[in-house]
Amino acid sequence: MHAVQIHLQIHLQMDLQSAIGRSMSTISKVAERAGVSRTTVSHVLNHADRVSKPLRDKVMAAVEELGYAPNPQARSLRTGRTNLIAVLIPDILNPFYVKLVQVIQTELEKAGLETMIFNTDVPGGRSVEHGREYLRQISPKRFDGILIADFAVHRMHEDLERLTIPAVFIGQLPSQVIDSVGIDDAGGAYLMGKYLAEAGHRRVAQITGPSFFDQAVIRRSAFDEGFGQHGGIVDTTLHYEGSYLTPSGYEGVEWLLREHGGNLPDAIFFSSSLMAQGGLAALYDHKLRIPDDIAVASFGGWEHFDYFRPRVTRVGNDPALLATRSVAMLLDRVEGRVDGTPRNEILPCILRQFDTA
């Protein structure tokens, strides 16, 4: 071992020992203020279920009076855990993942855990190896668990089998190797197709996601099925393959007007809210009125589309629900409440109807 490494290790050990000393000193003050033992204070802070409510209340009152915050380094040495959770997302600019991360951080903080975000930037064109390198960095020595948001590990599902820490996938896995929770993409797209057909639309364009994403293929075919089974005329010449990103929504509308401007469809269904955002801009630039000239519907855009006008008919579910459920599933594994066969939960999609469709 190099001298520099030894020097750093010695300093790290001294820092941790110092942290433990400071932590024990403060615990002693809390115990003295509450009139209980240091063991009771430790149980209240780390295993509250082992202590009666009156004692918990006394200890927490003393903690608040003294402004005590447990030292994470000391707690890590005592418990053998890092108290850090890795979160992999595919696109940090997408409002869906912004909301997802916000709620994940809040829920993990309630459990005394911290979060480290890894943005694999899959829609932005980063290579698979970029995300794989992130997975290599995630080991039991650094993290207690990992949450993985769908496309963050696109074409890397086989790597999930090699994870050695508790993990939850947010989305639908082709092979159930770890816990997962996702929304019903097929059910949601089918519901939107059915709705548009029953609303009287007969020709509908689709701006789809990229065909190399399984999710995009599922949404496209399920929408066509729901639309066709309820009176719509499925016309694949009205399909435009986008990237799930905002510019491709704009480009999709430009293509539609160029190729079918003389015979516009009744409506457009965007397979993602970002593409719908770009599409709305293109329709506005071409002075097309919604829904008088053409109706608009989207998959997703659960919260941020509330502040768009015209308001967009959309199908999906709140990313906050996915975040809350994924954290609960992960904590089950991290804290040893659940073991064995991976679990899979699917949340139903909900249609939010406005006069744009």
Coordinates of all heavy atoms in Angstrom, one line a residue, residues 5-51:
Q5 N -1.9 6.4 0.7 CA -3.1 5.7 1.0 C -3.1 5.4 2.5 O -4.2 5.5 3.2 CB -3.2 4.4 0.2 CG -3.4 4.6 -1.2 CD -3.4 3.3 -2.0 OE1 -2.4 2.6 -2.0 NE2 -4.5 2.9 -2.5
I6 N -2.0 5.0 3.1 CA -1.9 4.7 4.5 C -2.2 6.0 5.3 O -3.0 6.0 6.3 CB -0.5 4.2 4.9 CG1 -0.3 2.8 4.3 CG2 -0.4 4.1 6.4 CD1 1.1 2.3 4.4
H7 N -1.6 7.1 4.9 CA -1.9 8.4 5.5 C -3.4 8.8 5.5 O -3.9 9.2 6.5 CB -1.1 9.5 4.8 CG -1.2 10.9 5.4 ND1 -0.6 11.2 6.6 CD2 -1.9 12.0 5.0 CE1 -0.9 12.5 6.8 NE2 -1.7 12.9 5.9
L8 N -4.0 8.6 4.3 CA -5.4 8.9 4.2 C -6.3 8.0 5.1 O -7.2 8.4 5.7 CB -5.9 8.8 2.8 CG -5.4 9.9 1.8 CD1 -5.7 9.6 0.4 CD2 -5.9 11.3 2.2
Q9 N -5.9 6.7 5.2 CA -6.7 5.8 6.0 C -6.6 6.1 7.4 O -7.6 6.0 8.2 CB -6.2 4.3 5.7 CG -6.7 3.7 4.4 CD -6.5 2.2 4.4 OE1 -5.8 1.7 5.2 NE2 -7.2 1.6 3.5
I10 N -5.4 6.5 7.9 CA -5.2 6.8 9.3 C -6.0 8.0 9.6 O -6.7 8.1 10.7 CB -3.7 7.1 9.6 CG1 -2.9 5.8 9.5 CG2 -3.5 7.8 10.9 CD1 -1.4 6.0 9.6
H11 N -6.0 9.0 8.8 CA -6.8 10.2 9.0 C -8.3 9.9 9.0 O -9.1 10.5 9.8 CB -6.5 11.3 8.0 CG -5.3 12.2 8.3 ND1 -5.4 13.2 9.2 CD2 -4.0 12.1 8.0 CE1 -4.2 13.8 9.4 NE2 -3.3 13.1 8.6
L12 N -8.7 9.0 8.1 CA -10.1 8.7 8.1 C -10.6 8.0 9.3 O -11.6 8.3 9.9 CB -10.4 7.8 6.9 CG -11.9 7.3 6.7 CD1 -12.8 8.5 6.5 CD2 -12.0 6.3 5.5
Q13 N -9.7 7.1 9.8 CA -10.0 6.3 11.1 C -10.1 7.3 12.2 O -11.0 7.2 13.1 CB -9.0 5.3 11.3 CG -9.1 4.1 10.3 CD -7.9 3.1 10.5 OE1 -7.0 3.4 11.2 NE2 -8.0 2.0 9.8
M14 N -9.1 8.3 12.3 CA -9.1 9.2 13.4 C -10.4 10.1 13.3 O -11.0 10.4 14.3 CB -7.9 10.1 13.3 CG -6.6 9.4 13.6 SD -5.1 10.4 13.3 CE -5.4 11.7 14.5
D15 N -10.8 10.5 12.1 CA -12.0 11.3 11.9 C -13.2 10.6 12.4 O -14.1 11.2 13.1 CB -12.2 11.7 10.5 CG -11.2 12.8 10.0 OD1 -10.5 13.4 10.9 OD2 -11.0 13.0 8.8
L16 N -13.3 9.3 12.0 CA -14.5 8.5 12.5 C -14.5 8.3 14.0 O -15.5 8.4 14.6 CB -14.5 7.2 11.7 CG -14.8 7.2 10.2 CD1 -14.6 5.9 9.6 CD2 -16.2 7.8 10.0
Q17 N -13.3 8.0 14.5 CA -13.3 7.8 16.0 C -13.6 9.1 16.7 O -14.3 9.1 17.7 CB -11.8 7.4 16.4 CG -11.5 5.9 16.0 CD -10.1 5.6 16.1 OE1 -9.2 6.5 16.5 NE2 -9.7 4.4 15.8
S18 N -13.2 10.2 16.1 CA -13.5 11.5 16.7 C -15.0 11.8 16.6 O -15.7 12.3 17.6 CB -12.8 12.7 16.0 OG -13.2 13.9 16.5
A19 N -15.6 11.4 15.5 CA -17.1 11.5 15.3 C -17.8 10.7 16.3 O -18.8 11.2 16.9 CB -17.5 11.1 13.9
I20 N -17.4 9.5 16.5 CA -18.1 8.6 17.5 C -18.0 9.3 18.9 O -18.9 9.3 19.7 CB -17.5 7.2 17.5 CG1 -17.8 6.5 16.2 CG2 -18.0 6.4 18.7 CD1 -17.1 5.2 16.1
G21 N -16.8 9.8 19.2 CA -16.6 10.4 20.5 C -17.5 11.6 20.7 O -18.1 11.7 21.8
R22 N -17.6 12.5 19.7 CA -18.5 13.6 19.8 C -20.0 13.2 19.9 O -20.7 13.7 20.7 CB -18.4 14.5 18.6 CG -17.0 15.2 18.5 CD -17.1 16.3 17.4 NE -17.4 15.8 16.1 CZ -16.5 15.4 15.2 NH1 -15.2 15.4 15.6 NH2 -16.8 15.0 14.1
S23 N -20.3 12.1 19.1 CA -21.7 11.6 19.2 C -22.1 11.1 20.6 O -23.1 11.4 21.1 CB -21.9 10.5 18.1 OG -23.2 10.0 18.2
M24 N -21.1 10.3 21.1 CA -21.4 9.7 22.5 C -21.5 10.8 23.5 O -22.3 10.7 24.4 CB -20.3 8.7 22.8 CG -20.2 7.5 21.9 SD -21.8 6.5 22.0 CE -21.8 6.0 23.6
S25 N -20.6 11.8 23.4 CA -20.7 12.9 24.3 C -22.0 13.6 24.3 O -22.6 13.9 25.3 CB -19.6 13.9 24.0 OG -19.7 15.1 24.8
T26 N -22.6 13.8 23.1 CA -23.8 14.5 23.0 C -25.0 13.6 23.4 O -25.9 14.1 24.0 CB -24.1 15.0 21.5 OG1 -22.9 15.6 21.0 CG2 -25.2 15.9 21.4
I27 N -24.9 12.3 23.1 CA -25.9 11.4 23.6 C -26.0 11.4 25.1 O -27.0 11.3 25.7 CB -25.6 10.0 23.1 CG1 -26.0 9.9 21.6 CG2 -26.4 8.9 23.9 CD1 -25.7 8.5 21.0
S28 N -24.8 11.5 25.8 CA -24.8 11.6 27.2 C -25.5 12.8 27.7 O -26.3 12.8 28.7 CB -23.3 11.7 27.7 OG -22.6 10.5 27.4
K29 N -25.3 14.0 27.0 CA -26.1 15.2 27.4 C -27.6 15.0 27.3 O -28.4 15.5 28.1 CB -25.6 16.4 26.6 CG -24.1 16.7 26.9 CD -23.7 17.9 26.0 CE -22.2 18.2 26.2 NZ -21.7 19.3 25.3
V30 N -28.0 14.4 26.2 CA -29.4 14.1 25.9 C -30.0 13.2 27.0 O -31.0 13.5 27.6 CB -29.6 13.5 24.5 CG1 -31.1 13.0 24.4 CG2 -29.3 14.5 23.4
A31 N -29.2 12.2 27.3 CA -29.6 11.2 28.4 C -29.8 11.9 29.7 O -30.8 11.7 30.5 CB -28.6 10.1 28.5
E32 N -28.8 12.8 30.1 CA -28.8 13.5 31.3 C -30.0 14.5 31.4 O -30.8 14.5 32.4 CB -27.5 14.3 31.5 CG -27.5 15.1 32.8 CD -26.1 15.8 32.9 OE1 -25.2 15.6 32.1 OE2 -26.0 16.7 33.9
R33 N -30.3 15.2 30.2 CA -31.4 16.1 30.2 C -32.8 15.4 30.3 O -33.7 15.8 31.0 CB -31.4 16.9 28.9 CG -32.5 17.9 28.7 CD -32.5 19.0 29.7 NE -31.3 19.8 29.5 CZ -31.2 20.9 28.8 NH1 -32.2 21.3 28.1 NH2 -30.0 21.6 28.7
A34 N -32.9 14.2 29.7 CA -34.1 13.4 29.7 C -34.3 12.6 31.0 O -35.4 12.1 31.2 CB -34.2 12.6 28.5
G35 N -33.2 12.4 31.7 CA -33.2 11.5 32.9 C -33.4 10.1 32.5 O -34.0 9.3 33.3
V36 N -32.7 9.7 31.5 CA -32.7 8.2 31.1 C -31.3 7.8 30.8 O -30.3 8.6 30.8 CB -33.6 8.0 29.8 CG1 -35.0 8.5 30.0 CG2 -33.0 8.8 28.6
S37 N -31.1 6.5 30.4 CA -29.8 6.0 30.1 C -29.4 6.3 28.7 O -30.3 6.6 27.9 CB -29.7 4.5 30.3 OG -30.6 3.9 29.3
R38 N -28.1 6.2 28.4 CA -27.6 6.5 27.0 C -28.2 5.4 26.1 O -28.4 5.6 24.9 CB -26.1 6.4 27.0 CG -25.5 7.6 27.6 CD -24.0 7.8 27.3 NE -23.3 6.5 27.4 CZ -21.9 6.5 27.3 NH1 -21.2 7.6 27.1 NH2 -21.3 5.3 27.5
T39 N -28.4 4.2 26.6 CA -28.9 3.1 25.8 C -30.3 3.4 25.4 O -30.7 3.2 24.2 CB -28.9 1.8 26.6 OG1 -27.6 1.4 27.0 CG2 -29.5 0.6 25.8
T40 N -31.1 4.0 26.3 CA -32.5 4.4 25.9 C -32.5 5.5 24.8 O -33.3 5.4 23.9 CB -33.2 4.9 27.2 OG1 -33.3 3.9 28.1 CG2 -34.6 5.4 26.8
V41 N -31.6 6.4 24.9 CA -31.5 7.5 23.9 C -31.1 6.8 22.6 O -31.7 7.1 21.5 CB -30.4 8.5 24.3 CG1 -30.2 9.5 23.1 CG2 -30.8 9.3 25.5
S42 N -30.2 5.9 22.6 CA -29.8 5.2 21.3 C -30.9 4.5 20.7 O -31.2 4.5 19.5 CB -28.6 4.3 21.6 OG -28.2 3.6 20.4
H43 N -31.7 3.8 21.6 CA -32.9 3.0 21.1 C -33.9 4.0 20.5 O -34.5 3.7 19.4 CB -33.5 2.2 22.2 CG -32.8 1.0 22.5 ND1 -32.1 0.3 21.6 CD2 -32.7 0.3 23.7 CE1 -31.5 -0.8 22.2 NE2 -31.9 -0.8 23.5
V44 N -34.2 5.1 21.1 CA -35.1 6.0 20.6 C -34.7 6.5 19.2 O -35.5 6.7 18.3 CB -35.3 7.2 21.5 CG1 -36.1 8.3 20.9 CG2 -36.0 6.8 22.8
L45 N -33.4 6.8 19.0 CA -32.9 7.4 17.8 C -32.7 6.3 16.7 O -32.8 6.7 15.5 CB -31.5 8.0 18.0 CG -31.5 9.2 19.0 CD1 -30.1 9.8 19.2 CD2 -32.4 10.4 18.4
N46 N -32.5 5.1 17.1 CA -32.3 4.0 16.1 C -33.3 2.9 16.0 O -33.5 2.3 14.9 CB -30.9 3.4 16.3 CG -29.8 4.4 16.2 OD1 -29.5 4.9 15.1 ND2 -29.1 4.7 17.3
H47 N -34.0 2.7 17.1 CA -35.0 1.6 17.1 C -36.2 2.0 18.0 O -36.4 1.5 19.1 CB -34.4 0.3 17.7 CG -33.1 -0.2 17.0 ND1 -33.2 -0.8 15.8 CD2 -31.8 -0.1 17.4 CE1 -31.9 -1.0 15.4 NE2 -31.1 -0.6 16.3
A48 N -36.9 3.0 17.5 CA -37.9 3.7 18.4 C -39.0 2.7 18.8 O -39.6 2.9 19.9 CB -38.6 4.8 17.6
D49 N -39.2 1.6 18.0 CA -40.3 0.7 18.4 C -39.9 -0.1 19.7 O -40.8 -0.7 20.3 CB -40.4 -0.3 17.2 CG -39.2 -1.1 16.9 OD1 -38.2 -0.4 16.7 OD2 -39.2 -2.3 16.8
R50 N -38.7 0.0 20.1 CA -38.3 -0.8 21.4 C -38.6 0.0 22.6 O -38.3 -0.4 23.7 CB -36.8 -1.1 21.3 CG -36.4 -2.0 20.1 CD -34.9 -2.3 20.1 NE -34.5 -3.0 19.0 CZ -33.2 -3.4 18.7 NH1 -32.3 -3.0 19.6 NH2 -32.9 -4.0 17.6
V51 N -39.0 1.3 22.5 CA -39.1 2.2 23.6 C -40.6 2.6 23.7 O -41.3 2.9 22.7 CB -38.2 3.4 23.4 CG1 -38.3 4.3 24.7 CG2 -36.8 2.9 23.2

